[in-house]
Amino acid sequence: KEIISNMEPEILEIASGIIMEAEKKFEKVDKNILCPLADHISFAVKRIKNNENISNPLTQDIRALFPEEYEVACKGKDIIKEVEGIEINEDEIGYIALHIHSSLGNEKVSQAMETAVLVRDCITTIEKHTGKIIDITSLSYNRLMSHIKYMVVRTLKGETIKLDMNDYIKEKFKKSFKIAEDICRKLGNELNKEI
């Protein structure tokens, strides 16, 4: 109550509008994100008005990992423009997408950000091993990110997959298998789990 009473009504209107857009897309949204989302938007608006820029190095990863949430956050950009008369950038859209993602399940914004960081680290490792930069706008990039994302989620939940193709892949794709082993070892260390 204290946070809401200190919040500008326009900011609450923006956050509420974003939540309504999320409900149109996802139906069930945890409305408890109102305060954290409004708080984030309030600081973002102040930063923009003061010409302070905060970058989000994971914006493209967030967009690929959570495309529907990002789409709703883009509608939030329009709401902010309409109410406050300012334009937020893609980095802010990425942060709003994380708030929306956290409203859809048990994952907190910090956990979604950690997933994005881990996925980015995996992609960077692959790029280092292969000496090739993966085009973030490509379908291959999105598919790879999706696979890594679900590997991280399964690991965090302690789930395993029933299909074991390790022997076949190890024999047919030795270099790729070695890169995958390296990635899994790093992820396991980061998550304090065995992958």
Side-chain angles (χ1 to χ4, degrees):
K1 287 180 182 178
E2 184 180 325
I3 292 170
I4 289 177
S5 65
N6 291 327
M7 194 76 58
E8 296 173 23
E10 297 85 10
I11 299 297
L12 290 170
E13 178 186 339
I14 292 167
S16 179
I18 293 170
I19 291 170
M20 286 191 289
E21 289 296 329
E23 287 176 324
K24 286 179 194 173
K25 181 79 173 175
F26 303 108
E27 293 180 23
K28 190 171 169 106
V29 174
D30 183 356
K31 290 186 175 104
N32 287 325
I33 69 158
L34 178 67
C35 286
L37 179 59
D39 193 44
H40 176 84
I41 292 167
S42 176
F43 282 112
V45 167
K46 286 175 187 164
R47 284 192 308 268
I48 292 166
K49 286 182 177 178
N50 291 329
N51 291 319
E52 299 169 7
N53 195 10
I54 289 193
S55 67
N56 181 349
L58 299 172
T59 298
Q60 295 306 320
D61 300 303
I62 292 167
R63 175 187 252 169
L65 285 168
F66 313 115
E68 294 178 310
E69 293 90 330
Y70 193 89
E71 182 184 316
V72 171
C74 285
K75 291 180 182 176
K77 175 184 178 176
D78 297 336
I79 295 169
I80 292 168
K81 173 83 170 160
E82 184 181 314
V83 174
E84 286 290 330
I86 61 169
E87 193 88 28
I88 64 169
N89 62 23
E90 283 197 5
D91 293 336
E92 289 295 348
I93 293 171
Y95 287 124
I96 291 171
L98 290 177
H99 281 280
I100 294 165
H101 177 72
S102 75
S103 75
L104 303 176
N106 295 328
E107 192 174 39
K108 295 178 183 171
V109 172
S110 60
Q111 290 170 312
M113 191 68 150
E114 180 185 16
T115 300
V117 168
L118 291 171
V119 171
R120 164 62 18 222
D121 288 346
C122 291
I123 300 288
T124 301
T125 300
I126 292 168
E127 290 174 333
K128 283 181 186 173
H129 279 289
T130 62
K132 296 177 183 175
I133 301 297
I134 302 170
D135 178 8
I136 60 173
T137 61
S138 70
L139 178 60
S140 297
Y141 182 83
N142 283 303
R143 288 181 65 210
L144 178 61
M145 285 198 72
S146 182
H147 284 292
I148 294 170
K149 170 188 166 185
Y150 289 112
M151 179 180 66
V152 169
V153 169
R154 281 193 310 272
T155 301
L156 288 171
K157 290 182 177 180
E159 295 175 1
T160 58
I161 54 175
K162 293 179 171 85
L163 180 63
D164 186 355
M165 296 181 62
N166 285 350
D167 292 336
Y168 173 78
I169 294 170
K170 189 175 188 177
E171 183 182 321
K172 294 286 185 187
F173 308 101
K174 290 179 178 146
K175 184 178 179 186
S176 297
F177 189 82
K178 192 153 184 56
I179 295 169
E181 279 184 316
D182 185 35
I183 289 170
C184 288
R185 195 171 16 266
K186 285 180 184 178
L187 265 179
N189 289 338
E190 287 288 327
L191 299 171
N192 293 319
K193 302 239 183 203
E194 189 176 320
I195 297 181

Short mmCIF file of all heavy atoms in Angstrom, two decimals, residues 67-90:
data_model
loop_
_atom_site.label_atom_id
_atom_site.label_comp_id
_atom_site.label_asym_id
_atom_site.label_seq_id
_atom_site.Cartn_x
_atom_site.Cartn_y
_atom_site.Cartn_z
N PRO A 67 9.88 -14.48 -26.80
CA PRO A 67 9.36 -13.64 -27.89
C PRO A 67 7.96 -13.08 -27.64
O PRO A 67 7.67 -11.93 -27.99
CB PRO A 67 9.38 -14.56 -29.11
CG PRO A 67 9.40 -15.94 -28.56
CD PRO A 67 10.11 -15.85 -27.24
N GLU A 68 7.09 -13.87 -27.03
CA GLU A 68 5.73 -13.39 -26.79
C GLU A 68 5.70 -12.32 -25.70
O GLU A 68 4.96 -11.34 -25.80
CB GLU A 68 4.81 -14.56 -26.44
CG GLU A 68 4.63 -15.53 -27.59
CD GLU A 68 3.78 -16.71 -27.23
OE1 GLU A 68 4.05 -17.36 -26.19
OE2 GLU A 68 2.82 -16.98 -27.98
N GLU A 69 6.53 -12.51 -24.68
CA GLU A 69 6.63 -11.52 -23.62
C GLU A 69 7.21 -10.22 -24.18
O GLU A 69 6.76 -9.12 -23.84
CB GLU A 69 7.51 -12.03 -22.48
CG GLU A 69 6.92 -13.20 -21.71
CD GLU A 69 7.29 -14.57 -22.27
OE1 GLU A 69 7.50 -14.70 -23.50
OE2 GLU A 69 7.35 -15.52 -21.47
N TYR A 70 8.18 -10.36 -25.08
CA TYR A 70 8.80 -9.19 -25.70
C TYR A 70 7.77 -8.45 -26.56
O TYR A 70 7.73 -7.21 -26.57
CB TYR A 70 10.00 -9.62 -26.55
CG TYR A 70 10.88 -8.47 -26.97
CD1 TYR A 70 11.92 -8.03 -26.16
CD2 TYR A 70 10.65 -7.79 -28.16
CE1 TYR A 70 12.72 -6.96 -26.54
CE2 TYR A 70 11.44 -6.72 -28.54
CZ TYR A 70 12.47 -6.31 -27.73
OH TYR A 70 13.25 -5.24 -28.10
N GLU A 71 6.94 -9.20 -27.25
CA GLU A 71 5.88 -8.60 -28.08
C GLU A 71 4.93 -7.76 -27.22
O GLU A 71 4.56 -6.64 -27.60
CB GLU A 71 5.11 -9.72 -28.78
CG GLU A 71 4.03 -9.28 -29.71
CD GLU A 71 3.26 -10.47 -30.28
OE1 GLU A 71 3.89 -11.47 -30.68
OE2 GLU A 71 2.03 -10.39 -30.29
N VAL A 72 4.56 -8.28 -26.06
CA VAL A 72 3.69 -7.52 -25.15
C VAL A 72 4.44 -6.29 -24.64
O VAL A 72 3.86 -5.20 -24.55
CB VAL A 72 3.21 -8.41 -23.98
CG1 VAL A 72 2.49 -7.58 -22.92
CG2 VAL A 72 2.31 -9.53 -24.48
N ALA A 73 5.72 -6.44 -24.32
CA ALA A 73 6.51 -5.32 -23.83
C ALA A 73 6.59 -4.21 -24.88
O ALA A 73 6.62 -3.02 -24.53
CB ALA A 73 7.91 -5.79 -23.43
N CYS A 74 6.59 -4.59 -26.15
CA CYS A 74 6.58 -3.58 -27.23
C CYS A 74 5.29 -2.78 -27.19
O CYS A 74 5.29 -1.57 -27.47
CB CYS A 74 6.74 -4.25 -28.60
SG CYS A 74 8.42 -4.80 -28.92
N LYS A 75 4.20 -3.42 -26.83
CA LYS A 75 2.93 -2.68 -26.67
C LYS A 75 3.03 -1.74 -25.48
O LYS A 75 2.45 -0.67 -25.47
CB LYS A 75 1.77 -3.66 -26.53
CG LYS A 75 1.50 -4.41 -27.83
CD LYS A 75 0.36 -5.38 -27.70
CE LYS A 75 0.20 -6.11 -29.04
NZ LYS A 75 -0.81 -7.12 -29.02
N GLY A 76 3.80 -2.18 -24.47
CA GLY A 76 4.06 -1.32 -23.31
C GLY A 76 4.81 -0.06 -23.71
O GLY A 76 4.57 1.02 -23.16
N LYS A 77 5.70 -0.20 -24.69
CA LYS A 77 6.42 0.97 -25.21
C LYS A 77 5.42 2.00 -25.73
O LYS A 77 5.57 3.20 -25.48
CB LYS A 77 7.36 0.52 -26.33
CG LYS A 77 8.07 1.65 -27.02
CD LYS A 77 8.92 1.14 -28.17
CE LYS A 77 9.58 2.31 -28.88
NZ LYS A 77 10.48 1.89 -29.93
N ASP A 78 4.41 1.53 -26.45
CA ASP A 78 3.38 2.43 -26.99
C ASP A 78 2.58 3.09 -25.87
O ASP A 78 2.25 4.28 -25.95
CB ASP A 78 2.44 1.67 -27.93
CG ASP A 78 3.15 1.11 -29.15
OD1 ASP A 78 4.21 1.64 -29.53
OD2 ASP A 78 2.64 0.12 -29.72
N ILE A 79 2.28 2.34 -24.83
CA ILE A 79 1.52 2.88 -23.69
C ILE A 79 2.34 3.97 -23.00
O ILE A 79 1.82 5.04 -22.66
CB ILE A 79 1.13 1.75 -22.70
CG1 ILE A 79 0.17 0.76 -23.37
CG2 ILE A 79 0.52 2.33 -21.42
CD1 ILE A 79 -0.07 -0.52 -22.59
N ILE A 80 3.63 3.70 -22.80
CA ILE A 80 4.51 4.69 -22.16
C ILE A 80 4.58 5.96 -23.00
O ILE A 80 4.52 7.07 -22.48
CB ILE A 80 5.91 4.09 -21.91
CG1 ILE A 80 5.82 2.99 -20.85
CG2 ILE A 80 6.91 5.18 -21.49
CD1 ILE A 80 7.07 2.14 -20.71
N LYS A 81 4.69 5.78 -24.30
CA LYS A 81 4.75 6.94 -25.23
C LYS A 81 3.46 7.76 -25.13
O LYS A 81 3.49 8.99 -25.07
CB LYS A 81 4.96 6.43 -26.66
CG LYS A 81 4.87 7.47 -27.73
CD LYS A 81 6.16 8.21 -27.89
CE LYS A 81 6.09 9.08 -29.14
NZ LYS A 81 7.04 10.12 -29.13
N GLU A 82 2.32 7.06 -25.08
CA GLU A 82 1.02 7.73 -25.02
C GLU A 82 0.83 8.49 -23.71
O GLU A 82 0.38 9.63 -23.69
CB GLU A 82 -0.09 6.69 -25.20
CG GLU A 82 -1.48 7.27 -25.25
CD GLU A 82 -2.54 6.18 -25.41
OE1 GLU A 82 -2.35 5.29 -26.26
OE2 GLU A 82 -3.53 6.25 -24.68
N VAL A 83 1.20 7.85 -22.59
CA VAL A 83 0.95 8.46 -21.28
C VAL A 83 2.02 9.48 -20.89
O VAL A 83 1.71 10.57 -20.41
CB VAL A 83 0.83 7.36 -20.19
CG1 VAL A 83 0.72 7.97 -18.80
CG2 VAL A 83 -0.35 6.45 -20.47
N GLU A 84 3.29 9.12 -21.10
CA GLU A 84 4.39 9.98 -20.65
C GLU A 84 5.00 10.83 -21.76
O GLU A 84 5.78 11.75 -21.49
CB GLU A 84 5.50 9.12 -20.02
CG GLU A 84 5.16 8.59 -18.65
CD GLU A 84 5.12 9.67 -17.57
OE1 GLU A 84 5.85 10.68 -17.67
OE2 GLU A 84 4.35 9.48 -16.62
N GLY A 85 4.70 10.48 -23.01
CA GLY A 85 5.26 11.24 -24.13
C GLY A 85 6.73 11.01 -24.37
O GLY A 85 7.41 11.83 -24.96
N ILE A 86 7.24 9.88 -23.87
CA ILE A 86 8.66 9.56 -24.09
C ILE A 86 8.78 8.20 -24.76
O ILE A 86 7.89 7.35 -24.66
CB ILE A 86 9.49 9.58 -22.79
CG1 ILE A 86 8.96 8.55 -21.78
CG2 ILE A 86 9.53 10.96 -22.18
CD1 ILE A 86 9.88 8.32 -20.62
N GLU A 87 9.91 8.00 -25.38
CA GLU A 87 10.17 6.77 -26.12
C GLU A 87 11.19 5.94 -25.34
O GLU A 87 12.29 6.42 -25.04
CB GLU A 87 10.75 7.17 -27.49
CG GLU A 87 10.81 6.09 -28.51
CD GLU A 87 9.53 5.97 -29.32
OE1 GLU A 87 8.82 6.97 -29.51
OE2 GLU A 87 9.27 4.85 -29.76
N ILE A 88 10.82 4.71 -24.99
CA ILE A 88 11.80 3.82 -24.36
C ILE A 88 12.51 3.04 -25.46
O ILE A 88 11.97 2.83 -26.55
CB ILE A 88 11.17 2.87 -23.31
CG1 ILE A 88 10.17 1.90 -23.96
CG2 ILE A 88 10.53 3.66 -22.18
CD1 ILE A 88 9.72 0.78 -23.03
N ASN A 89 13.73 2.60 -25.16
CA ASN A 89 14.51 1.87 -26.16
C ASN A 89 14.33 0.36 -26.01
O ASN A 89 13.64 -0.11 -25.10
CB ASN A 89 15.99 2.26 -26.09
CG ASN A 89 16.62 1.91 -24.75
OD1 ASN A 89 16.15 1.04 -24.02
ND2 ASN A 89 17.71 2.58 -24.42
N GLU A 90 14.96 -0.39 -26.89
CA GLU A 90 14.83 -1.86 -26.87
C GLU A 90 15.35 -2.48 -25.59
O GLU A 90 14.85 -3.52 -25.16
CB GLU A 90 15.55 -2.46 -28.08
CG GLU A 90 14.80 -2.30 -29.36
CD GLU A 90 15.31 -3.24 -30.45
OE1 GLU A 90 16.19 -4.08 -30.18
OE2 GLU A 90 14.80 -3.13 -31.57
#
